[in-house]
C-alpha cells in the first residue's frame, strides 16, 4: 500500500482527512497520530491499534492497544470518567485497590505492566534496594505482600539480587580504576533493580 492508499482508506472508512504526506510522517516517526487517527490507521491497515503501538508502556497506550475509549474503561472499573482521564494524562494512578484489580482485568495487564501503570514500581524499588543493601530475608514478607507471586519465586529472586549486588560492592574494596568501575556498576545495578527483579521472577 502506498501512503495515498492508506490516506484513502482512512477517509473512506472513518471520514478523517489525513493527507498522504502525514501518513509518511507517521511512518518515519516525524509525527504521531492522535488516538482517533491511530484507530483509523489500524482499521485501514487491517490490524489492531496495539499492533501499531509496539510494547505499550503507559496507561493510555495499554487502553488504546485494547481498542477502548477512556469512558469505557472508567465505567468498567467504577471510576468517574473525568478522574480517569486526568490520571491518564498525568500518568499518576490514584484509584483504589478494587479499581486497580478491575483495571488489570479490563486492560489485560501483565503483572509487570500493572506495576508500571499504577505506580507500584517506586514502592517495589525502595523495598528491593533495602533488601539488597542489608538482609534480604527481612524484606521477603513485605515484597510478598506487594507482589502476588509464589513465595519461593520471590525468595529466590531476592537471594539472587542480594548476591549480585554484594559481589559488586565487594569489588569496590579494591584500589584505583577497578574500584571506580565497580562502584559505577553497583550504582547502575540499583538504578535498574526493578528490571532485574522482573527478569528473575520470570513474569
Amino acid at each position: 500500500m502506498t501512503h495515498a492508499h492508506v490516506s484513502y482508506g482512512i477517509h473512506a472508512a472513518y471520514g478523517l482527512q489525513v493527507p498522504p504526506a502525514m501518513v509518511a510522517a507517521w511512518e518515519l516517526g516525524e509525527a504521531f497520530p492522535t488516538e482517533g487517527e491511530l484507530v483509523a490507521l489500524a482499521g485501514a491497515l487491517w490490524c489492531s491499534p496495539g499492533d501499531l503501538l509496539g510494547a505499550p508502556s503507559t496507561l493510555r497506550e495499554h487502553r488504546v492497544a485494547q481498542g477502548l475509549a477512556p469512558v469505557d474503561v472508567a465505567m468498567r472499573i467504577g471510576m468517574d470518567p473525568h478522574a480517569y482521564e486526568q490520571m491518564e494524562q498525568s500518568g499518576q494512578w490514584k484509584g483504589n485497590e478494587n479499581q486497580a484489580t478491575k483495571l488489570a482485568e479490563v486492560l489485560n495487564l501483565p503483572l509487570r505492566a500493572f506495576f508500571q501503570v499504577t505506580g507500584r514500581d517506586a514502592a517495589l524499588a525502595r523495598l528491593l534496594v533495602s533488601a539488597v543493601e542489608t538482609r534480604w530475608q527481612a524484606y521477603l514478607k513485605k515484597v510478598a505482600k506487594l507482589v502476588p507471586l509464589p513465595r519461593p519465586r520471590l525468595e529466590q529472586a531476592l537471594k539472587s539480587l542480594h548476591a549480585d549486588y554484594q559481589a559488586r560492592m565487594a569489588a569496590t574494596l579494591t584500589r584505583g580504576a577497578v574500584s571506580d568501575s565497580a562502584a559505577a556498576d553497583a550504582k547502575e545495578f540499583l538504578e535498574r533493580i526493578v528490571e532485574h527483579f522482573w527478569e528473575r521472577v520470570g513474569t
Side-chain angles (χ1 to χ4, degrees):
M1 295 176 73
T2 66
H3 298 134
H5 288 141
V6 176
S7 174
Y8 175 80
I10 289 173
H11 179 66
Y14 294 88
L16 296 176
Q17 294 283 355
V18 178
M22 181 58 73
V23 176
W26 291 344
E27 189 175 49
L28 294 170
E30 296 171 351
F32 299 94
T34 64
E35 190 172 316
E37 290 169 340
L38 181 67
V39 171
L41 177 62
L45 296 176
W46 294 88
C47 65
S48 73
D51 292 332
L52 300 177
L53 286 172
S57 60
T58 65
L59 182 56
R60 177 184 176 275
E61 289 174 356
H62 281 284
R63 174 182 57 75
V64 171
Q66 294 297 318
L68 297 170
V71 67
D72 294 330
V73 175
M75 294 190 70
R76 290 189 195 184
I77 68 175
M79 182 178 284
D80 175 70
H82 179 67
Y84 175 80
E85 286 192 58
Q86 282 187 322
M87 285 191 292
E88 257 197 20
Q89 290 169 1
S90 69
Q92 299 292 317
W93 172 256
K94 296 180 181 176
N96 60 38
E97 287 300 313
N98 186 43
Q99 290 168 331
T101 301
K102 289 179 180 176
L103 180 76
E105 294 170 1
V106 170
L107 298 184
N108 196 27
L109 295 173
L111 188 56
R112 184 174 182 177
F114 175 72
F115 267 67
Q116 288 174 330
V117 301
T118 58
R120 285 167 165 79
D121 266 359
L124 179 59
R126 286 192 295 273
L127 288 175
L128 295 175
V129 167
S130 296
V132 300
E133 288 181 334
T134 58
R135 292 180 62 251
W136 65 267
Q137 296 90 338
Y139 290 89
L140 178 58
K141 187 175 181 180
K142 292 178 181 179
V143 173
K145 187 176 181 182
L146 186 64
V147 184
L149 288 174
R151 200 173 176 113
R153 282 170 70 184
L154 296 175
E155 183 175 337
Q156 186 58 42
L158 289 181
K159 187 176 180 181
S160 171
L161 287 170
H162 183 269
D164 280 2
Y165 178 72
Q166 292 301 321
R168 286 170 168 80
M169 289 307 294
T172 66
L173 300 176
T174 59
R175 296 184 180 185
V178 175
S179 176
D180 292 342
S181 175
D185 187 37
K187 181 181 178 185
E188 183 186 10
F189 184 83
L190 288 183
E191 289 170 352
R192 299 179 57 209
I193 192 77
V194 172
E195 184 179 335
H196 292 309
F197 171 78
W198 290 120
E199 288 169 358
R200 282 164 171 77
V201 295
T203 59

